[in-house]
Amino acid sequence: MIRKIIEINEEKCNGCGLCASACHEGAIGMVNGKAKLLRDDYCDGLGNCLPVCPTGAITFIEREAAAYDEAAVQAHMRAQAQAEQEQPLACGCPGSQSRVLHHAPAAQPQMAAPTVSELRQWPVQIKLAPINAPYFTGAHLLIAADCTAYAYANFHQDFIRGKITLVGCPKLDEGDYSEKLTEIIRCNEIKSVTVVRMEVPCCGGIEHAVRTALQNSGKFLPWQVVVISTEGEVIPA
């Protein structure tokens, strides 16, 4: 039968896995770090996956496809739930793969000087930050993925110092940051933007949101992206 069904552009997909999480029917899975429509008969054509995709990789098309099979979907979801109970697995996002990190111990002085926070404002979460605030005037804006401050040891000194900081996680937070960031950039005298993200694919969502916000704000600002490895090192551009 000819019906409306999703299509995923693999080149645009950044592997964040948000669409797979949003698909309650299990029609979308992660294969080799990319989202893939696993079975036509699992897709109900309602498009819960569309609004969560940060890169616009998912669209609707009309083509020959098997009819949506609710009974097959329910059986699939029961089997998946049973498998997860027997052996809990990480989600399909490559960034959720478990690993142990080993670092050489740093030499510690006998009397370590107390570390001073470089944070200059509150709140820091993108979802909680106001659109307008005095500290945005003339600010150099740091927009960082949550995990970066844990992975990179000198995060305060090397990134937060002298900047106004906003943080978020495109994998865990609902919705898209681009609209909020657009208004912050548009309504304030921002001097520059620095994005700090992890190397994992799902962190591409925060970079894409900033890129979209800069375009939609109508302003031309200097900006840069810094990528942190899971080992806590800056990856050269």
Side-chain angles (χ1 to χ4, degrees):
M1 63 180 295
I2 303 294
R3 71 179 183 96
K4 185 169 68 172
I5 196 167
I6 66 160
E7 182 175 64
I8 302 173
N9 185 325
E10 187 171 308
E11 292 185 0
K12 290 185 177 180
C13 175
N14 67 5
C16 69
L18 294 176
C19 57
S21 299
C23 180
H24 302 301
E25 292 74 31
I28 301 175
M30 304 303 296
V31 179
N32 296 325
K34 297 286 187 177
K36 183 178 180 63
L37 178 61
L38 301 178
R39 285 180 49 164
D40 289 358
D41 59 343
Y42 286 179
C43 178
D44 59 9
L46 297 179
N48 289 337
C49 53
L50 267 70
V52 301
C53 179
T55 64
I58 304 175
T59 55
F60 272 128
I61 62 169
E62 287 193 359
R63 64 168 173 84
E64 182 73 30
Y68 173 62
D69 189 338
E70 185 174 0
V73 168
Q74 291 177 352
H76 168 67
M77 298 308 289
R78 285 195 298 269
Q80 188 176 53
Q82 180 66 30
E84 289 176 352
Q85 288 179 354
E86 294 174 354
Q87 184 178 359
L89 299 174
C91 73
C93 173
S96 66
Q97 181 180 0
S98 299
R99 70 194 76 174
V100 177
L101 305 177
H102 299 282
H103 302 283
Q108 295 291 331
Q110 291 184 346
M111 294 294 292
T115 302
V116 177
S117 172
E118 297 289 345
L119 193 64
R120 300 173 61 190
Q121 101 288 343
W122 190 265
V124 296
Q125 288 287 338
I126 298 172
K127 293 287 187 180
L128 301 179
I131 298 295
N132 294 102
Y135 48 74
F136 283 133
T137 302
H140 294 279
L141 193 61
L142 170 67
I143 301 174
D146 288 347
C147 296
T148 55
Y150 294 94
Y152 189 83
N154 283 343
F155 194 82
H156 274 245
Q157 290 72 28
D158 292 354
F159 294 112
I160 294 181
R161 178 179 292 171
K163 296 182 178 67
I164 295 300
T165 303
L166 297 176
V167 302
C169 177
K171 178 70 174 178
L172 300 180
D173 289 346
E174 294 183 2
D176 181 10
Y177 299 133
S178 59
E179 184 175 344
K180 178 74 168 287
L181 294 175
T182 297
E183 292 307 306
I184 290 175
I185 294 170
R186 177 186 292 151
C187 298
N188 297 278
E189 188 184 336
I190 304 296
K191 295 296 186 183
S192 68
V193 178
T194 299
V195 181
V196 183
R197 52 162 290 190
M198 296 298 295
E199 64 176 325
V200 297
C202 55
C203 246
I206 201 162
E207 179 180 343
H208 180 267
V210 173
R211 188 187 303 272
T212 301
L214 287 166
Q215 292 172 346
N216 293 344
S217 71
K219 294 185 176 181
F220 298 93
L221 302 178
W223 73 295
Q224 63 172 327
V225 178
V226 180
V227 181
I228 306 297
S229 73
T230 52
E231 297 290 337
E233 300 175 347
V234 173
I235 297 177

